[in-house]
Amino acid sequence: MQLFVIKVGGNVIDNPALLQSFLQDLAAVQGPKVLIHGGGKIATRIGERLGIESKYVDGRRITDAATIDLVTMVYGGLVNKQVVAHLQALHCNAIGLTGADANIIPAVKRPVKEIDYGFVGDITSAALNIAPLKALLDVGLTPVFAPLTHDGQGQMLNTNADTIASSLATGLSAYYDVRLIYCFEKKGVLQNAEDDDSVIHLINREIYARLLEQKVLSDGILPKLENAFAAIESGVKEVLIGHAADVRSNTSGTVAGTLIC
């Protein structure tokens, strides 16, 4: 049986009209599906009102003690439950989760090296607890994951949503033919970051190595590609990177965006 594991980026979460259109398309997707959402900038805006300063190094959030409380509240509460409520209104029976729920995604706090990222979680795929997730899918529920995991000792951890999507897709590939779809605000992986129509429709390891050598890829797309190849090499059947508006096409046998193989 085919399963779609779909990750939607924070830029879509931040755009109410784009998010609503995406969720309408997602609700129309037939068969089992899992959604993982990013955090968007909502936590930053709420943090400013609460006097919690957002700190970043190379575009990555530093998650100190105040910030992990903030993102747990916003990602796991406000954003996650709003997405679930919208899906229920569209007659898609969704259930909101973090990695702590049913112990589905245990993680370890990232070790301190040159930079202390704080309460950030790194996932070990072998530690995933897929059985409860499969049980939810078996009864027709659509799991919706916030970008949060836990350390098994009571501590929540802020975790990259792309990595969560790749890890869950890998774990579920033991039971399903998984298509992992990364949805964001671009049409796919671009040859020229300034040209939205310069989509590279197919990337394999050889092409990827050549693109890296030519330095044509934007820094933001590199983690998605690394997660995509990690998933493919661990049993995921297909990975697509494309625009959130193309999710219906990308779950119906056609490809709009970049196919990773």
Side-chain angles (χ1 to χ4, degrees):
M1 179 183 292
Q2 186 166 46
L3 168 75
F4 298 107
V5 176
I6 301 168
K7 185 265 177 172
V8 63
N11 288 334
V12 178
I13 296 293
D14 287 330
N15 184 322
L18 189 56
L19 177 61
Q20 183 62 24
S21 177
F22 167 80
L23 293 176
Q24 286 174 340
D25 288 339
L26 180 74
V29 173
Q30 298 301 304
K33 50 191 175 285
V34 178
L35 177 65
I36 302 93
H37 63 77
K41 297 175 182 174
I42 301 170
T44 299
R45 293 197 295 269
I46 292 177
E48 288 171 353
R49 297 207 295 267
L50 297 174
I52 301 171
E53 180 185 358
S54 293
K55 301 171 186 174
Y56 295 87
V57 175
D58 297 330
R60 296 182 178 181
R61 185 187 288 273
I62 302 297
T63 308
D64 59 17
T67 302
I68 190 60
D69 287 350
L70 172 68
V71 297
T72 299
M73 174 178 69
V74 176
Y75 299 167
L78 179 64
V79 175
N80 187 263
K81 299 314 173 191
Q82 284 183 338
V83 169
V84 169
H86 281 303
L87 286 172
Q88 296 294 0
L90 295 165
H91 310 291
C92 175
N93 197 6
I95 182 168
L97 300 166
T98 70
D101 295 292
N103 192 34
I104 292 172
I105 316 175
V108 295
K109 184 175 178 289
R110 182 169 298 167
V112 177
K113 295 181 181 177
E114 294 85 5
I115 300 167
D116 183 358
Y117 285 101
F119 295 101
V120 169
D122 291 328
I123 302 169
T124 302
S125 293
L128 288 175
N129 188 16
I130 292 296
L133 179 55
K134 186 175 184 300
L136 294 173
L137 290 164
D138 285 345
V139 297
L141 290 167
T142 295
V144 177
F145 280 89
L148 297 163
T149 59
H150 75 127
D151 70 354
Q153 306 297 317
Q155 178 63 57
M156 295 297 293
L157 298 168
N158 188 12
T159 304
N160 181 273
D162 287 350
T163 305
I164 289 177
S166 176
S167 298
L168 291 177
T170 297
L172 288 162
S173 67
Y175 304 97
Y176 301 92
D177 289 334
V178 177
R179 174 177 280 190
L180 170 59
I181 305 173
Y182 288 112
C183 296
F184 66 146
E185 72 284 358
K186 300 291 185 181
K187 293 180 180 179
V189 180
L190 303 178
Q191 182 84 32
N192 177 358
E194 304 302 318
D195 181 2
D196 283 349
D197 292 320
S198 64
V199 177
I200 304 167
H201 291 289
L202 179 70
I203 297 179
N204 57 26
R205 275 289 187 187
E206 183 181 348
I207 296 170
Y208 183 42
R210 188 164 66 248
L211 292 169
L212 287 176
E213 187 178 342
Q214 295 168 350
K215 297 183 178 179
V216 300
L217 299 173
S218 65
D219 289 341
I221 203 67
L222 296 178
K224 281 185 173 58
L225 286 167
E226 286 300 325
N227 279 310
F229 281 116
I232 289 285
E233 289 161 7
S234 299
V236 174
K237 190 172 182 181
E238 298 173 315
V239 183
L240 273 167
I241 299 174
H243 200 287
D246 292 326
V247 69
R248 193 172 293 192
S249 295
N250 285 332
T251 54
S252 61
T254 58
V255 173
T258 302
L259 181 66
I260 312 297
C261 63

